[in-house]
Amino acid sequence: MNYGKVSCGWKRSSEGLEFEVAIPANCRALVRLPDGSEQEQAAGEQQYFIAQ
């Protein structure tokens, strides 16, 4: 069953790492970041930041 497209991307800045994650409608995801943290994300786009 196909619910839609999941996408993610990241970039490094002088202040840290920025991540953008998109989850399709009516879905949830567990996002695991490189610092070991986990975030439960509902449908939609979300940005995460890890300071360095």
Side-chain angles (χ1 to χ4, degrees):
M1 189 173 266
N2 187 357
Y3 291 100
K5 184 177 177 180
V6 173
S7 65
C8 64
W10 65 276
K11 66 180 178 179
R12 184 182 305 259
S13 70
S14 60
E15 293 140 6
L17 299 171
E18 298 176 35
F19 298 86
E20 186 172 312
V21 180
I23 305 300
N26 300 316
C27 295
R28 298 185 74 76
L30 180 62
V31 179
R32 293 186 179 138
L33 299 170
D35 66 354
S37 66
E38 295 181 345
Q39 304 290 327
E40 188 171 341
Q41 180 178 325
E45 294 184 8
Q46 179 71 40
Q47 293 182 335
Y48 302 95
F49 182 77
I50 300 173
Q52 291 191 352

